[in-house]
Amino acid sequence: MMSFMFQLLREDEGLPPAVVFEDSTSPGFVPLWEEIGVYEALYNSDGKRAREVSRAIAFGVDRASEEAALTRLLPAGLTLEEAVRFLENVHRGCTTHPVAEVKTR
């Protein structure tokens, strides 16, 4: 199974884009991302600025942290804690590098 990669790229004038944040996770989380409202911010945000997706990610962290029943959406081997860790990392990256460009794959 391939992983989903979320990156933030910073472009300094005259220099090639630099990856300032990168994390990956399982595509098995897609049903959870859809349920908590972060799918668009994660998968359809190429070219946007990090600050444009950080609020949606923050709401997703809150929902995933507070609703243990969301575990029902996860395939065997994946945990809600892992999902929250990934979203927290992405949110931290977005708030640390608000003007960085989002790249996903």
Side-chain angles (χ1 to χ4, degrees), residues 32-50:
L32 175 65
W33 301 153
E34 291 172 335
E35 179 70 23
I36 64 174
V38 298
Y39 181 88
E40 287 294 317
L42 291 175
Y43 282 82
N44 296 323
S45 57
D46 269 11
K48 290 187 178 180
R49 297 290 171 209

Side-chain angles (χ1 to χ4, degrees), residues 7-36:
Q7 295 179 320
L8 295 175
L9 305 174
R10 186 185 71 224
E11 292 191 34
D12 291 326
E13 199 170 314
L15 297 172
V19 175
V20 293
F21 172 82
E22 177 178 281
D23 200 357
S24 62
T25 193
S26 169
F29 285 116
V30 166
L32 175 65
W33 301 153
E34 291 172 335
E35 179 70 23
I36 64 174

Side-chain angles (χ1 to χ4, degrees), residues 63-72 80:
R63 280 208 56 204
S65 299
E66 296 168 2
E67 297 181 34
L70 292 169
T71 302
R72 75 186 188 290
L80 210 47

Side-chain angles (χ1 to χ4, degrees), residues 39-87:
Y39 181 88
E40 287 294 317
L42 291 175
Y43 282 82
N44 296 323
S45 57
D46 269 11
K48 290 187 178 180
R49 297 290 171 209
R51 68 173 165 251
E52 296 177 62
V53 299
S54 64
R55 179 172 289 167
I57 301 297
F59 284 125
V61 168
D62 289 346
R63 280 208 56 204
S65 299
E66 296 168 2
E67 297 181 34
L70 292 169
T71 302
R72 75 186 188 290
L73 299 171
L74 302 178
L78 296 180
T79 66
L80 210 47
E81 292 77 20
E82 184 181 352
V84 169
R85 179 209 55 82
F86 174 75
L87 291 177

